[in-house]
Amino acid sequence: MSYAKQLLDTYPGSFDIDAALLGGTIDALSDCAQACTADADDDLSEENVAEMVKCIRLCLDCADVCVATLGVVSRRAYYDPNVTSLLLEACVAVCRSCGDECERHAHNHPHCRVCAEACRRCEQACRDLLGAMK
Amino acid sequence: MSYAKQLLDTYPGSFDIDAALLGGTIDALSDCAQACTADADDDLSEENVAEMVKCIRLCLDCADVCVATLGVVSRRAYYDPNVTSLLLEACVAVCRSCGDECERHAHNHPHCRVCAEACRRCEQACRDLLGAMK
Amino acid sequence: MSYAKQLLDTYPGSFDIDAALLGGTIDALSDCAQACTADADDDLSEENVAEMVKCIRLCLDCADVCVATLGVVSRRAYYDPNVTSLLLEACVAVCRSCGDECERHAHNHPHCRVCAEACRRCEQACRDLLGAMK
Amino acid sequence: MSYAKQLLDTYPGSFDIDAALLGGTIDALSDCAQACTADADDDLSEENVAEMVKCIRLCLDCADVCVATLGVVSRRAYYDPNVTSLLLEACVAVCRSCGDECERHAHNHPHCRVCAEACRRCEQACRDLLGAMK
């Protein structure tokens, strides 16, 4: 278990998002960023690396967007809700694209199946947070 | 001068964005990320740090979003243009918010004036790239 | 639970570090990076923010080093073991400094107690990985 | 030109490193991080991508370490000089490894020549900063 929920429970200010929902999104973002970083590297170890190029790039994009989103939602004063919304929407979009591509390789490459699962969970978590922000 | 333009000119594939425009955006993102990281630290050194809290947070958010956008636009195969657009829009929004807040402190704190300039340039560069992508 | 261990178990190549140990280090790095990001923000919400400046800076440093270390150890081909060792040693050092500073505030600020715990766990995990690499 | 030097010149505190030297290192780190990110992507576009795997991984490692070092040296209060030294040493090591690998491909792939140059300049800048810190 991560420290996200504990840190939300000890936050000195107040915020109007459910802590369990936000903590779950933070964990999903963190897990997805690591899974995509690892999966890009797994792809580079495959014999058919030439067929994995799109998967590698999407994993790198997905990791970058998850890391930024993780930073922004971990700061609880959303001075500009528009930034958070656009970023969460970008994260939903990249998790979906990356998840789709990973799924295409899942039957051959078990690591892509794991990464697809991380992307799906993160996509859903970002959707849920977006819904709760409205 | 950075290497962004040279790397675009030696790119092995093709891409349909003007290299000078894309290279300029990449430089603006890179410079803005560093400026925001440094300005957040400058703010922490100010005697009136309690009044700089919003500026610090927006600088940290802006740096995070610029870094992710830098990574994504540096990869030239936009498999999902929607991701790039949403991310560029998030970057425009955070650069504007951060630039506005920095500008409020610019008369007292020269480092905030420098950071505001970096944010304005990056906001404009992201808008230009968005325009060119359409 | 994160996906780190599953991704190590489905890695297409081989590596000579125990997967449970490496997976545990990856999780500790990921958790520590997020905890430090969140704790820096918690500190910014405290009334005595001027007294928290050192803690904020160390948290930002610690998050940066953990993220880089996470990336490097997630790529399993250590072409240059010297890079990994120096980075893990830098990570041990920053986790210790950040953990010490957080602990100084732990009695007043529960979020610093949580972050200190994340730093201690990460410091130990990096030490264990360093030990296993020798 | 980046904003690094201007932000050092408007820093509200004092620091005992020459601003031109530190500003130059910050620029070199920032440029190298972007060059490595772009070169990894260029490598993925090459027909002989299978031969570029080591180069891709070293570029990703190098970008990660440069980004962390950039963050840490941009914060001017080195509470723990040991962290900064170890990180700069890790950065020297990864820039050398990545520069060597890029150089091996420089005659075939002009983008690797550009990236090798960025790595060499960053390696030297980190060495110079290390020297000045002693």
Side-chain angles (χ1 to χ4, degrees), chain B:
Chain B
M1 200 212 53
S2 87
Y3 301 95
K5 178 66 168 53
Q6 289 182 65
L7 281 157
L8 291 169
D9 291 339
T10 55
Y11 184 62
S14 66
F15 52 95
D16 57 3
I17 295 278
D18 177 69
L21 188 149
L22 180 53
T25 307
I26 288 172
D27 286 343
L29 285 162
S30 187
D31 291 349
C32 188
Q34 197 277 325
C36 287
T37 300
D39 194 43
D41 190 65
D42 290 347
D43 291 345
L44 287 169
S45 289
E46 292 292 349
E47 280 181 31
N48 67 339
V49 60
E51 295 165 42
M52 305 306 292
V53 165
K54 185 177 177 181
C55 191
I56 295 167
R57 281 179 169 138
L58 281 170
C59 280
L60 295 175
D61 279 354
C62 194
D64 281 346
V65 179
C66 285
V67 166
T69 309
L70 178 61
V72 170
V73 303
S74 292
R75 285 174 214 108
R76 260 127 301 162
Y78 303 135
Y79 302 112
D80 188 338
N82 193 33
V83 172
T84 313
S85 295
L86 287 165
L87 200 54
L88 283 168
E89 282 172 33
C91 204
V92 164
V94 77
C95 285
R96 193 179 45 222
S97 287
C98 189
D100 286 351
E101 181 64 20
C102 287
E103 209 158 273
R104 290 205 321 114
H105 304 286
H107 59 295
N108 282 331
H109 302 321
H111 51 84
C112 286
R113 186 188 41 71
V114 178
C115 192
E117 194 184 313
C119 291
R120 297 311 187 200
R121 183 160 73 90
C122 190
E123 181 190 344
Q124 189 56 51
C126 290
R127 278 189 204 284
D128 292 346
L129 186 56
L130 266 172
M133 284 177 64
K134 272 161 195 169

